[in-house]
Amino acid sequence: MALYEHVFLARQDIAPQQVDQLVELYKGVIEANGGKVGRIENWGLRTLTYRIRKNRKAYYTLMNIDAPAAAIAEVERQMRINEDILRYMTVRVHELEEGQSAMLSRRDRDDRYGKDEDRPRRPRRSRDDSNNEGDE
């Protein structure tokens, strides 16, 4: 069997409990087709870079999967049908990561060192300042 990392985005207007139900549904599909689901990470509600089907935010979830290709094909088929799933992506990997993913470790770093908005910034120069430099 092959190893996969599978990430899917669920609509913002469903409850977090419904996201957990979706995870259990797809976990059941994978196990019914002879696969195993390892780690499941819920990355929470995050802002999208651009709108997807009129949604500005989505619930992100990562699943580490050890399954045959047929199981992955079935999960992806069911995700295409489900209206609550905005996007999904499955990547075949040589080995699964141990510990937290980069997305969760970034959240921990932000908690420790503060968000980018908290850092002091240089004051911006106005257009008038840049025009005056050439005059002197």
Side-chain angles (χ1 to χ4, degrees):
M1 289 193 284
L3 302 173
Y4 299 93
E5 286 185 353
H6 180 79
V7 177
F8 68 90
L9 282 63
R11 290 185 318 157
Q12 66 183 0
D13 55 348
I14 64 174
Q17 294 81 13
Q18 288 176 298
V19 176
D20 294 337
Q21 289 173 353
L22 287 172
V23 169
E24 291 303 317
L25 170 73
Y26 297 124
K27 184 178 177 180
V29 171
I30 291 167
E31 290 172 352
N33 286 300
K36 293 183 295 187
V37 176
R39 178 180 58 171
I40 297 172
E41 285 185 3
N42 186 356
W43 294 343
L45 187 64
R46 294 179 164 266
T47 305
L48 298 170
T49 304
Y50 54 91
R51 287 175 144 195
I52 301 174
R53 293 191 218 154
K54 300 182 182 178
N55 289 284
R56 293 184 183 274
K57 294 185 175 191
Y59 287 100
Y60 285 66
T61 304
L62 167 75
M63 299 170 69
N64 285 346
I65 301 171
D66 182 11
I72 300 301
E74 178 61 20
V75 166
E76 289 180 348
R77 184 188 73 79
Q78 289 192 16
M79 284 192 172
R80 276 193 299 274
I81 296 170
N82 194 333
E83 293 179 0
D84 291 334
I85 303 297
L86 298 175
R87 292 276 193 277
Y88 62 86
M89 181 173 71
T90 307
V91 178
R92 186 171 178 180
V93 294
H94 293 289
E95 61 185 43
L96 296 172
E97 280 186 26
E98 296 296 326
Q100 288 186 336
S101 66
M103 292 296 286
L104 286 184
S105 55
R106 176 174 168 82
R107 184 180 297 161
D108 290 343
R109 187 195 73 197
D110 288 344
D111 291 342
R112 260 194 315 259
Y113 300 114
K115 303 269 185 200
D116 288 338
E117 296 88 30
D118 298 338
R119 292 189 302 170
R121 303 275 187 207
R122 282 189 324 192
R124 288 188 171 197
R125 293 182 359 193
S126 67
R127 288 185 186 170
D128 296 334
D129 293 340
S130 62
N131 290 336
N132 292 338
E133 287 178 10
D135 296 338
E136 295 177 10

